[in-house]
Amino acid sequence: MSDSSSFHFEDLIDRLLLIVTLNSTLVHFLLSSQVEGSVDPDRVDSLTQGLLRTRKWMEEATTMKGIPPSTQNILTLIVKRLSQIESLLPKLSEKAKQAEVNPATEILSFLEGEGRTTPEAAGEAAAPSAQGEVIPLVGETAAATKPLEAYKKVDVEDDQFGLIGQTQRLIQQYSKRCHVLLPTFWLEVIREIHRYRSDSPYLGDVVELPARMLVKITKGLLTEAPGARLLQDLMKSRQQENYLSASEMERIERAVAKYYQGLEGVLKEQKVNINDKILEAQTALDGFGWGGPELEKRIIKRLNQQCVEALESAESASDQARQVIYAEITKLLCKLQHAILAEPRTREILAQMKP
């Protein structure tokens, strides 16, 4: 065995510090999930990836030359415990995905079923009025009983602000010299946000505010340091990838659906507790996914800064509707970061970017 794989106490300190960090991350995840009353499956998958790499790194230490037997026994026990947690997280993720309801699907299901009349309702409608009351027309009855829906999802996006086309052209322009999987990921988020419709006067802000932030993120990746250079270097070692997988798209769809679900009150012009929304956004930011030491942190830091700015806007905006929108944008960006860390290709790219 080479000297490079020999045991050093400095290595042990690094590994124990990583374990402490992972432990605090897991504790925060458990507590924040209890507070929110739900589990984010993307965050679970992100934690699983981080735990997997930590466990392997700890496992390597148990076979190092010169490691004291007592230290080896303790590390082996830690590895065993990590393996047990690792085996549970995928099961938790699957349950969380089943529980994370897509509100657009519910609305479409409702719309498909509207207009149907139950036998009981039909009987009541057909019954004559003993008091000679005026029986409303069928159309009037439907209009009176139809609940106001906040939004619905459609198949084709409406590029009402020109942001989709602008981002597509930018990616195409740089695709010959930059790897574009990460920019394409953000483009698909922009497209998904534009696939929702609503009669609410707030829909413009609901679509435009996050989309402009995502355009800024994409442009920064392609044209500014360090993203531009890192994506150019990546092209030298990795084949171009400009399409997302079904799994990557599914994470985006769930994240955007969750975003609109959080804005249902605003779109319905109902009163929303601003303090609760900001607290939720702060909790999401506290649990922001930085990933392990093997990942390029400068790219992640830029996204974290966007989350911080969104939260600051939520706290400072004079318009209450915009406060809620920015709070939900913060949560959306944090969830998408967990999605990036959870997906093998995007996480691998962040690892390959690191010098």
Side-chain angles (χ1 to χ4, degrees), residues 225-240:
R229 181 181 58 79
L230 291 171
L231 291 179
Q232 289 175 24
D233 291 344
L234 193 62
M235 277 287 283
K236 301 173 185 177
S237 59
R238 189 180 181 99
Q239 189 175 0
Q240 183 65 282

Side-chain angles (χ1 to χ4, degrees), residues 1-12:
M1 190 173 291
S2 63
D3 292 339
S4 61
S5 59
S6 298
F7 176 79
H8 300 285
F9 278 102
E10 291 81 359
D11 295 329
L12 179 61

Side-chain angles (χ1 to χ4, degrees), residues 142-288:
T145 59
K146 180 181 177 181
L148 176 65
E149 293 297 339
Y151 56 86
K152 64 179 179 180
K153 185 179 177 182
V154 296
D155 293 332
V156 181
E157 63 271 12
D158 178 14
D159 192 12
Q160 55 185 314
F161 304 106
L163 298 175
I164 297 175
Q166 174 186 335
T167 309
Q168 283 177 323
R169 290 189 294 272
L170 183 68
I171 292 175
Q172 290 171 357
Q173 178 184 348
Y174 284 88
S175 61
K176 291 184 179 180
R177 59 179 181 271
C178 291
H179 195 276
V180 296
L181 182 62
L182 285 179
T184 300
F185 179 91
W186 295 114
L187 169 63
E188 290 300 333
V189 178
I190 297 171
R191 291 168 64 96
E192 186 68 16
I193 289 173
H194 282 76
R195 290 193 180 107
Y196 285 76
R197 301 286 182 273
S198 174
D199 293 329
S200 170
Y202 295 109
L203 180 66
D205 281 349
V206 168
V207 173
E208 184 179 11
L209 293 179
R212 290 201 179 278
M213 293 189 75
L214 294 166
V215 170
K216 182 180 178 181
I217 291 170
T218 307
K219 186 176 181 180
L221 276 172
L222 292 168
T223 65
E224 300 173 8
R229 181 181 58 79
L230 291 171
L231 291 179
Q232 289 175 24
D233 291 344
L234 193 62
M235 277 287 283
K236 301 173 185 177
S237 59
R238 189 180 181 99
Q239 189 175 0
Q240 183 65 282
E241 297 161 287
N242 50 17
Y243 293 98
L244 298 191
S245 68
S247 175
E248 291 158 352
M249 281 301 306
E250 186 259 346
R251 291 187 191 277
I252 289 174
E253 290 167 2
R254 282 193 293 101
V256 174
K258 194 78 172 177
Y259 168 71
Y260 275 93
Q261 183 182 13
L263 291 169
E264 185 171 348
V266 168
L267 292 171
K268 283 187 173 182
E269 300 183 57
Q270 297 173 342
K271 187 175 181 180
V272 180
N273 190 314
I274 304 297
N275 291 332
D276 285 352
K277 286 292 184 181
I278 292 177
L279 180 60
E280 290 173 5
Q282 182 64 64
T283 301
L285 183 57
D286 290 342
F288 183 84

